[in-house]
Amino acid sequence: MPINPSPETGYQAPNNPILRLAFKILCVIAVSRESLDHWEDTKKKEWKDHVSIMVNRFQNTNITAGLVLATATLFLSSVPPIEHLMAYNFSISYIFAMVSFGAALLSVISGSAVLVIYETSTAHKDMETLKRMPRHQVIALLLWLAYPSVCLSIASCCLFVSIFIACFWSGNSTVNTITVLACLAFLSNGGLTLYVFSVVGEKRVDDQKSLTHTSC
């Protein structure tokens, strides 16, 4: 008789390849790891180190979101001093600045809430309930943890687009050249980020061969 595979637990990745990839991306955004295997034993030192890393990350996210919020506020509440170099009073540029302001504010609020609740809840000695949570509760928890980072990413991108539009529509050739170079640098950084994310942790063929020879 065929042996049935072991049922999935809530904190483990789904068997479906697409859902597995989505779950992996969500884990990276939420807990800075590709899986939730560290939930297996929350009494080890590894769990305490992870909690410390996450608290530092949330604090850094709040600081960065505050800087983006302050910059967006400056654009929304001031008049361009030299309009022919950076005309951020255009309607499209202003709309992106408004979106950036809202997303940064959400990042600060949600980040503060996550920091307080996460740090308080993980102070308990027994966190074994995490690995017994059903799938929908695990997804909800990961989305809650990822919310500040997602809002910060949206705020940063919208602020960059707002500045790009303001500078590119200035009509100054020097400013336009600098703006295009900055946009290329921004896109190349995004491409490098995706490349590094796909390469780091990938198992090599040579490593697999060496493991095979060692086992033999």
Side-chain angles (χ1 to χ4, degrees):
M1 295 179 62
I3 300 175
N4 295 328
S6 59
E8 297 179 8
T9 56
Y11 72 94
Q12 292 179 340
N15 293 326
N16 186 283
I18 298 177
L19 296 179
R20 177 180 290 272
L21 178 61
F23 188 82
K24 177 181 177 181
I25 295 174
L26 181 59
C27 287
V28 170
I29 298 174
V31 298
S32 302
R33 297 201 178 187
E34 295 184 355
S35 66
L36 300 178
D37 293 338
H38 59 286
W39 284 14
E40 292 183 358
D41 190 351
T42 55
K43 297 179 181 179
K44 291 183 178 180
K45 185 177 182 297
E46 182 183 4
W47 172 259
K48 296 180 180 180
D49 294 339
H50 171 71
V51 171
S52 178
I53 293 173
M54 290 299 298
V55 169
N56 290 333
R57 173 188 159 183
F58 289 137
Q59 291 175 345
N60 294 332
T61 300
N62 288 345
I63 293 174
T64 307
L67 295 175
V68 175
L69 181 64
T71 306
T73 303
L74 177 64
F75 284 170
L76 294 175
S77 60
S78 62
V79 179
I82 307 178
E83 189 171 345
H84 68 277
L85 293 181
M86 188 176 180
Y88 55 82
N89 55 350
F90 279 113
S91 57
I92 300 179
S93 178
Y94 198 83
I95 290 173
F96 275 102
M98 290 176 61
V99 175
S100 176
F101 174 84
L105 185 60
L106 284 175
S107 179
V108 172
I109 295 174
S110 60
S112 300
V114 168
L115 181 61
V116 172
I117 299 175
Y118 186 82
E119 190 173 12
T120 303
S121 62
T122 54
H124 298 288
K125 294 181 179 180
D126 189 7
M127 292 293 292
E128 295 297 321
T129 55
L130 290 175
K131 63 182 181 182
R132 295 196 297 267
M133 291 170 58
R135 176 81 56 170
H136 68 278
Q137 292 183 359
V138 172
I139 298 299
L141 176 59
L142 291 177
L143 290 174
W144 178 68
L145 293 175
Y147 202 83
S149 299
V150 173
C151 290
L152 177 58
S153 300
I154 295 174
S156 301
C157 290
C158 288
L159 182 60
F160 181 86
V161 172
S162 176
I163 297 175
F164 175 82
I165 294 174
C167 294
F168 194 76
W169 284 7
S170 63
N172 188 289
S173 57
T174 303
V175 175
N176 290 345
T177 302
I178 296 174
T179 304
V180 171
L181 292 176
C183 184
L184 292 176
F186 180 79
L187 295 176
S188 63
N189 181 65
L192 286 173
T193 302
L194 294 176
Y195 174 74
V196 170
F197 175 74
S198 62
V199 169
V200 173
E202 182 181 1
K203 294 182 179 180
R204 303 295 180 181
V205 178
D206 296 338
D207 296 338
Q208 293 178 353
K209 289 182 178 179
S210 62
L211 289 175
T212 304
H213 292 309
T214 303
S215 60
C216 294

